[in-house]
Amino acid sequence: MKKAELTFMGTGTSQGVPIIGCKCPVCSSNDNKDKRLRASALIRYGGLTILVDAGPDFRTQMIREGISHLDAILLTHNHKDHTGGLDDVRALNYIDKKSIEIYCEDRVLQSLKREYAYGFQEVKYPGAPEWHVHKIDKNPFIVYANRPEGELIWIHDKGYFFERPDGILLPTSSQLTDDAVRADDPTFTGEVEVDNPYGIEIIPIRGYHDQMPVLGFRFGNIAYITDMSRLPEEELVKLQGLDHVTLNTVGYKKHHSHFSLDEALELADVIGAKHTWLTHLSHTFPSYNEFKKEIQELCRERHIHSAVAPAYDGLTIF
């Protein structure tokens, strides 16, 4: 199995931490581990650089981590704290001269078409973000390297175009969406490096954010799960044998759209990964070091074998 590396770009709730105007001890903390941008993760896997979710803090997160290239962005769902930064991929369009490859479910695509209508128009506003959206579902799919074909050509005051071999320029709106290649496609022969024309397999994890269907993703030995309050039992088979799993929790009390701390710890024990990292954390939990000690004590009391700890922005696991 290929080994993945995951960097937590953000580990906060939809409002982030600190929350505007809040003076609680966590929001007032000087510890950088208590400063949480909106939830997102960067994965390096099989030679590819993949981002899960691009919320309102996307620009800040990319600059902080020194990232100037992405092979793909995977979207878990369509809420603004997970998609609100997609306009800022314009910088990557300019650097790589390519559209950004986005993988999401059809319901998310329809939301993007409403929220970012200017990015899907037949005649685009010059400088609009350039996306190539691959529709996925709960079935495993293939992510490719950001391939060399389809280089973007910038025309001043007109925007981006694709140049055909005969020199004719095509509007980028002609290549906006398609269906992602499924892993059971007969042309796919297994995990391969990015200089091979195939790609790497990603396994979606179906869960529910209140009643909304959302996705988590497995990358080899690491699974990233956020914004869930329910994970169907049949999905647990996809989470066997993990080195690391991330789970979301926003507080101690039962919540309609997120796991409570008790629910997250119970699920960590069921999944049985070597390490469990908690993300999407709110200011209702204590400061980082105190919270980490509290979790360790709860795991000892409950005989939870997975090593559970709160994640923090910038943490890298592999």
Side-chain angles (χ1 to χ4, degrees):
M1 178 187 296
K2 287 189 190 303
K3 294 289 186 179
E5 176 183 294
L6 183 151
T7 297
F8 289 94
M9 304 293 274
T11 56
T13 58
S14 59
Q15 297 185 78
V17 180
I19 293 176
I20 295 173
C22 183
K23 305 299 182 184
C24 77
V26 173
C27 288
S28 303
S29 171
N30 291 321
D31 187 344
N32 284 334
K33 292 180 180 177
D34 291 327
K35 301 183 186 305
R36 302 182 181 276
L37 300 177
R38 266 62 74 92
S40 174
L42 184 82
I43 292 88
R44 293 181 172 89
Y45 180 48
L48 275 64
T49 302
I50 300 168
L51 185 73
V52 180
D53 290 335
D57 301 315
F58 169 77
R59 174 182 172 275
T60 300
Q61 293 164 338
M62 295 288 283
I63 292 172
R64 185 195 69 204
E65 297 298 326
I67 307 300
S68 58
H69 168 79
L70 293 174
D71 290 295
I73 297 176
L74 314 185
L75 299 178
T76 59
H77 63 299
N78 62 305
H79 281 167
K80 209 69 170 181
D81 56 319
H82 296 260
T83 64
L86 285 172
D87 181 81
D88 284 322
V89 305
R90 291 177 295 147
L92 303 182
N93 295 148
Y94 183 80
I95 292 169
D96 283 338
K97 295 182 173 58
K98 297 180 179 69
S99 300
I100 287 293
E101 309 291 332
I102 297 176
Y103 293 75
C104 65
E105 295 191 271
D106 184 67
R107 68 174 65 85
V108 179
L109 172 59
Q110 300 312 314
S111 177
L112 295 181
K113 287 181 176 180
R114 294 189 296 271
E115 297 287 338
Y116 294 98
Y118 61 92
F120 293 91
Q121 292 176 338
E122 184 173 349
V123 180
K124 292 185 181 180
Y125 180 86
E130 296 291 343
W131 303 331
H132 180 198
V133 183
H134 307 265
K135 289 185 288 184
I136 60 174
D137 52 29
K138 65 179 182 179
N139 294 295
F141 60 95
I142 310 304
V143 168
Y144 295 93
N146 197 328
R147 292 162 290 177
E149 64 265 33
E151 183 171 286
L152 295 173
I153 305 296
W154 173 259
I155 306 297
H156 182 65
D157 286 342
K158 293 185 180 297
Y160 285 112
F161 293 82
F162 291 120
E163 186 174 16
R164 291 194 336 193
D166 60 7
I168 293 177
L169 298 179
L170 298 175
T172 56
S173 58
S174 65
Q175 298 186 33
L176 278 177
T177 65
D178 64 15
D179 292 323
V181 176
R182 287 177 46 160
D184 57 4
D185 187 291
T187 64
F188 180 67
T189 59
E191 293 183 358
V192 292
E193 298 299 335
V194 297
D195 56 359
N196 186 292
Y198 292 109
I200 57 171
E201 179 182 4
I202 308 297
I203 301 174
I205 312 298
R206 168 66 75 213
Y208 292 88
H209 186 37
D210 196 359
Q211 301 301 312
M212 174 188 288
V214 298
L215 293 177
F217 300 101
R218 178 168 181 163
F219 310 87
N221 61 314
I222 295 178
Y224 181 77
I225 291 173
T226 185
D227 284 51
M228 290 187 188
S229 55
R230 180 165 63 90
L231 182 62
E233 187 174 350
E234 60 268 22
E235 294 296 289
L236 294 176
V237 68
K238 301 177 182 178
L239 300 172
Q240 295 180 356
L242 289 168
D243 289 331
H244 302 274
V245 65
T246 78
L247 298 174
N248 63 288
T249 178
V250 296
Y252 294 103
K253 296 179 180 179
K254 188 171 181 61
H255 194 278
H256 69 99
S257 59
H258 292 274
F259 296 125
S260 68
L261 178 59
D262 282 343
E263 289 170 334
L265 293 178
E266 181 180 350
L267 186 55
D269 195 36
V270 171
I271 294 172
K274 294 178 183 177
H275 300 272
T276 300
W277 304 93
L278 302 181
T279 190
H280 213 287
L281 303 170
S282 77
H283 67 163
T284 62
F285 292 122
S287 60
Y288 180 83
N289 290 324
E290 183 181 344
F291 189 38
K292 182 178 179 180
K293 292 178 182 177
E294 177 184 339
I295 291 172
Q296 290 173 340
E297 182 59 32
L298 288 172
C299 288
R300 282 194 294 268
E301 291 175 357
R302 302 178 187 188
H303 305 289
I304 296 174
H305 297 295
S306 181
V308 185
Y312 56 86
D313 292 18
L315 170 67
T316 295
I317 58 176
F318 51 88

